Amino acid sequence: MVELPGDKSISHRYAILAALAEGRSEISNYASAADCQSTLECLRCLGAIVELSERSVRITGVGLDGLKEPRRTLDAENSGSTMRMLAGVLAGQAFSTTITGDESLRRRPMRRVIEPLRQMGAEIRGREGDRAPLKIHGGHLRAIDYTTPVPSAQVKSAILLAGLYADGVTTVRESVSTRDHTEAALREFGATIESTRGTIRIHPRPKLTARQLVVPGDLSGAVFLIAAALILPESSLMLHNVGLNPTRARVLDFLISIGAQINVASVQMRNGELVGDVAVRHTPLGGGSISGVQVAQMIDELPMLAALGPFTEKGIEIHDAQELRVKESDRIASLAEGLRQMGALVEESPDGMRVEGRAAGKLRGAKIDPHGDHRIAMALAVVALGAKDDTVIRDADCVGVSFPEFFATLDRLRGAEAHKS
Ligand code: S3P
């Protein structure tokens, strides 16, 4: 049986809301991802009591108005979600906080949260206007009606969290429905939130109450294992308790559309999130193209999907994905570089890439630099399973940002396959 880590996106949200709730919440299967540990550390610095045990976290919240001015700069490390979502909470506090991150996070765009939070009345200054560290002085927020210029669940979440502190109902409109875990989690903790096709409204100053919650397995992490099963002949894989929120599960529809044999069973609703079992079997893949709204709905899975290109009949093509260039690394460039080193035929464009199919030739092992990006390291490790000779991935520990058990899990799966055959 494969143990998936708890979902990274959901873990961040449960932790933040537990810190703002009254009482002690218990979050089971909390993500082992380093990113989610960064969130916990920031919340500790803001006065929440965080107790860790194996795979569960207890957080004693301080209530909406109980956070304290931290004595030091908060460090979101590699985690964009931590920085952007906490910026929303900090915008509601009548004290000053500085939040920074590692070299990669300090390069990523922050204007997308600075703008709306300023419109709400927070004072926020970023380095060169758009970059972390962010210095935030909040309090007295106005409710706004905001249309997100780039589809982003992090930005939507920052505004909704700030909306908890506003003087009226805050509205966020998005052209593509991005992951809605914040909305589901806010409801779980007792906030009043209305959501109809692309428009979300949050009512201010709810009483948030501590909860017992279980985090589903991380589908975005599972996708690397699913891809491995699709690549390796005669393999099959069963994953239990996988998060199947429809705003995240489009990746399974896409894989099925290119020929993957994937079955979903035992689907149930838990804490406002769909959870179920996913069975995968090796099947020849046809290939296909991803563009438009699909991009935002599969944003974290695009590196793995593109990297499946050489294992498909017609290749994989991605358009409209310029957002990939401002993730933990420039994911279009890092992936193209790694795939080419392994012998794949890749054409890069400003907003995507085309990776040629099987006919372009066999892949070979190579020395790869994932540019410190966990999803690039995992995608290329899976590709390496289908290449001739060994691949060496530099600084492969970066996978710990989202899936610390990734290599051990992959090894175990390959071992199980070897025993079967
Ligand atoms: C996330 C949203 C996405 C995603 C990131 C996690 C979230 O980012 O890429 O890994 O938890 O809200 P954007 O909101 O920037 O698209």
Side-chain angles (χ1 to χ4, degrees), residues 289-307:
S289 166
I290 300 167
S291 62
V293 295
Q294 288 174 302
V295 165
Q297 294 171 336
M298 303 194 273
I299 190 75
D300 292 337
E301 290 71 57
L302 294 180
M304 187 66 257
L305 295 176

Side-chain angles (χ1 to χ4, degrees), residues 8-9 13 81 84 112 151-154 179 299-300 327:
K8 185 158 87 74
S9 288
R13 284 145 171 99
S81 302
R84 295 192 179 122
R112 50 185 68 191
S152 164
Q154 293 175 355
R179 63 190 73 189
I299 190 75
D300 292 337
K327 291 290 179 188

Side-chain angles (χ1 to χ4, degrees), residues 7-10 12-13 35 80-82 84-85 108-109 112 150-157 178-182 220 248 295-296 298-301 323-324 326-328 331 374-375:
D7 187 90
K8 185 158 87 74
S9 288
I10 296 175
H12 285 300
R13 284 145 171 99
D35 271 7
S81 302
T82 305
R84 295 192 179 122
M85 289 200 279
R108 297 178 63 187
R112 50 185 68 191
V150 184
S152 164
Q154 293 175 355
V155 174
K156 169 178 66 176
S157 304
T178 59
R179 63 190 73 189
D180 63 1
H181 305 303
T182 304
S220 299
R248 294 281 295 284
V295 165
M298 303 194 273
I299 190 75
D300 292 337
E301 290 71 57
E323 268 296 296
L324 285 180
V326 291
K327 291 290 179 188
E328 286 83 329
R331 286 187 169 158
H374 55 129
R375 297 203 199 275

Side-chain angles (χ1 to χ4, degrees), residues 46-47 62-68 93 95 165:
L46 288 162
V62 293
L64 265 191
D65 296 309
L67 295 181
K68 301 226 160 33
Q93 313 303 318
F95 54 72
Y165 294 92

Side-chain angles (χ1 to χ4, degrees), residues 375-390:
R375 297 203 199 275
I376 299 299
M378 290 190 279
L380 293 172
V382 171
V383 172
L385 296 177
K388 189 169 159 284
D389 302 327
D390 290 349

